[in-house]
Each structure stands twice: as C-alpha cells, then as structure tokens.
Amino acid sequence: MGPQGAGKGTQAEKLVEETGAAYIATGDLVREEIKKGSELGQKVKEYSDKGELVPDEIIVDMAKPLLEDNDSWILDGFPRNQSQAETLDEALNAIGEKLDRVILLEAPDDVLVERLSGRRQSEATGKIYHVEHDPPPENDEEDPGPFVQRHDDTEEAIRNRLATYHEQTEPLKDHYEEQGLLVTIDATKSIDEVTEEVMKVVREDS
Ligand code: AP5
C-alpha cells in the first residue's frame, strides 16, 4: 500500500524476484486492457486517464481469478478502498488463505509529484525507471526500451490520484492495523534503503 509514486511497483519487482510469488498489480491489469483496445479497455481508460478509481466490480473481476490461480502473491494497488478490502477478505476466506503482511510505503505529496513527473517505463520489459534517481540503462542488451512516460503521469491526473488516495485508500491503514498486519516504512529514503527495510519485514515473516 502507499500513495502514487511511493515506490510500490519499484519495490514489488524486487519482492517478486526474492520470493517467486505471483505479481498482481491492478494498475498493470488496467493498462493491459487499455492496450488491447477492447470495449472494457475503452471504458477503464476514461477513469485511468483522469486519475480516478475504476469501478470496484471491474477491478475485482480482473484480480480474483489471479488470486485463485496462484499459491502466493504480491498485491500492488489492490485493495484501494473499504469495499475492495472487504471483498478481498471474503475472497481469501473462501479459498482458505490469508494476508501475511501489509506494507505501507509513506512519503509526502511534494516528493511524490516530483517522482511521478520523472518516471519512465520500458515498453520492452515493463521495468520502472526515474530520469534522475534510477536512469534507464544506455546498454540495449540490459533493456532496449523505449522508455516512455505513462499517460496518467500528467500533473492534473497525479493530483487527482493523490486526492483519491488520501480520501479512499489511506483509511485502510486502520483496517489493517486492527488486523495486526500493518508495517509502515519511510519511503522518502533511497530505493536501496527502502528495499532493505521491505526485505527485513519479509524475511522476519518467513
Ligand atoms: P497504478 O498503476 O497502481 O498507479 P498508482 O496507484 O497511481 O501508483 P503508481 O504506479 O503511480 O506508483 P508506485 O507507488 O507504483 O510508484 P513507482 O514504483 O512507479 O494505477 C493506475 C490506475 O489504474 C489508477 O489511477 C486507477 O484508475 C486504476 N486502478 C488500479 N488499481 C485500482 C483499484 N484497486 N481500484 C480502482 N482502480 C484502480 O515509483 C514512481 C517513480 O519514483 C519511479 O520513477 C521510480 O523510479 C521512482 N522511485 C521509486 N522509489 C523511489 C525512491 N525511494 N527514491 C527515489 N525515487 C524513487
């Protein structure tokens, strides 16, 4: 969990390498659907371009089969409101699974806006970079790119996504604190320092 630009995708990539768990990122599922140009893709694009949440039933339909098909997962960007959190609790109960941990990456909005404005993603590998903090490699063999800016990384959409986060997602902190699952990490530190903290939590659990 964490606001847009806190580094959820950046850290999830490393966690997936470390644990071998399936990576379920609802934002990636939304972007894949948009790329396909399907009817559903056109519908979700309207929400995503504006930085608004896609309706719960669409997101749940996308994520649920992946939960059922895999034994372990890293969830990124889901759940994002109380109703999605309750749906997730029910879906996990139904398949006899539970969350091990909820890691919250926290950073102030001004840091997040700067990060998102400099974000680039490789079209070839999907890997996330930042023009200053983690520049794309110049060597084609490592990652041929091209390195593109996301369509929702405009200042207006970023501000909208952050407002939605504070209003709808941030209150989930209480939901997971009550379940004794929440660990908060200071995400203003460098990428490597945050990775170290995240790995510490995961290793303590295993
Ligand atoms: P999604 O793709 O999940 O986007 P998001 O929530 O806006 O999150 P981001 O991907 O922007 O942030 P991140 O924390 O992953 O940051 P990153 O690691 O890239 O969702 C997109 C859209 O899909 C939503 O707006 C919505 O419409 C829809 N959607 C998705 N899930 C939904 C749901 N459950 N319900 C309804 N709708 C849903 O890092 C950002 C940048 O910072 C990078 O350039 C990175 O290199 C850099 N960086 C990272 N960490 C550091 C660090 N420690 N120091 C310096 N730079 C860093």
Side-chain angles (χ1 to χ4, degrees), residues 72-73 92 97-102 180-183 201 205:
S72 59
W73 348 259
L92 293 179
E97 295 288 354
K98 61 177 182 53
L99 295 178
D100 294 315
R101 221 14 99 188
V102 175
L181 294 174
L182 192 74
V183 177
V201 174
D205 281 346

Side-chain angles (χ1 to χ4, degrees), residues 138-167:
E138 285 173 12
N139 174 356
D140 268 13
E141 274 172 32
E142 205 181 315
D143 192 334
F147 307 101
V148 296
Q149 201 159 15
R150 260 171 52 175
H151 60 87
D152 58 347
D153 278 347
T154 60
E155 174 138 13
E156 196 192 348
I158 293 169
R159 300 251 173 232
N160 234 338
R161 278 148 65 201
L162 287 171
T164 306
Y165 173 80
H166 292 305
E167 190 190 314

Side-chain angles (χ1 to χ4, degrees), residues 86-125:
E86 284 166 14
T87 305
L88 177 62
D89 289 345
E90 283 161 23
L92 293 179
N93 268 337
I95 55 174
E97 295 288 354
K98 61 177 182 53
L99 295 178
D100 294 315
R101 221 14 99 188
V102 175
I103 297 179
L104 169 67
L105 301 180
E106 270 198 333
D109 285 7
D110 52 352
V111 171
L112 304 171
V113 173
E114 187 275 331
R115 283 192 190 168
L116 293 175
S117 315
R119 171 165 58 186
R120 299 292 180 273
Q121 189 162 21
S122 165
E123 277 196 350
T125 63

Side-chain angles (χ1 to χ4, degrees), residues 8-205:
K8 302 182 297 291
T10 302
Q11 298 301 332
E13 263 175 30
K14 297 172 197 281
L15 264 180
V16 166
E17 259 172 46
E18 167 86 10
T19 62
Y23 179 42
I24 305 179
T26 42
D28 287 350
L29 298 177
V30 165
R31 281 184 291 280
E32 274 163 29
E33 206 58 52
I34 294 173
K35 216 168 169 185
K36 277 191 226 160
S38 64
E39 205 175 307
L40 180 60
Q42 285 169 16
K43 190 166 173 195
V44 295
K45 186 172 188 307
E46 285 173 31
Y47 295 94
S48 170
D49 278 353
K50 284 190 260 172
E52 289 172 8
L53 291 185
V54 169
D56 290 347
E57 59 277 15
I58 297 180
I59 288 291
V60 169
D61 279 355
M62 286 176 168
K64 227 171 165 184
L66 295 169
L67 287 174
E68 288 162 359
D69 287 353
N70 293 284
D71 293 335
S72 59
W73 348 259
I74 311 287
L75 294 177
D76 170 2
F78 178 79
R80 254 183 229 224
N81 58 27
Q82 186 65 30
S83 140
Q84 290 183 13
E86 284 166 14
T87 305
L88 177 62
D89 289 345
E90 283 161 23
L92 293 179
N93 268 337
I95 55 174
E97 295 288 354
K98 61 177 182 53
L99 295 178
D100 294 315
R101 221 14 99 188
V102 175
I103 297 179
L104 169 67
L105 301 180
E106 270 198 333
D109 285 7
D110 52 352
V111 171
L112 304 171
V113 173
E114 187 275 331
R115 283 192 190 168
L116 293 175
S117 315
R119 171 165 58 186
R120 299 292 180 273
Q121 189 162 21
S122 165
E123 277 196 350
T125 63
K127 207 171 169 322
I128 301 159
Y129 300 95
H130 188 280
V131 287
E132 275 173 38
H133 313 302
D134 184 16
E138 285 173 12
N139 174 356
D140 268 13
E141 274 172 32
E142 205 181 315
D143 192 334
F147 307 101
V148 296
Q149 201 159 15
R150 260 171 52 175
H151 60 87
D152 58 347
D153 278 347
T154 60
E155 174 138 13
E156 196 192 348
I158 293 169
R159 300 251 173 232
N160 234 338
R161 278 148 65 201
L162 287 171
T164 306
Y165 173 80
H166 292 305
E167 190 190 314
Q168 297 194 39
T169 312
E170 209 166 14
L172 291 184
K173 283 200 273 192
D174 294 343
H175 182 82
Y176 289 118
E177 198 136 46
E178 277 161 23
Q179 296 186 10
L181 294 174
L182 192 74
V183 177
T184 303
I185 291 179
D186 174 5
T188 60
K189 294 183 182 168
S190 72
I191 294 176
D192 288 346
E193 285 171 314
V194 176
T195 304
E196 208 173 297
E197 302 264 320
V198 171
M199 292 304 172
K200 220 189 287 169
V201 174
V202 172
R203 289 188 188 124
E204 274 165 15
D205 281 346

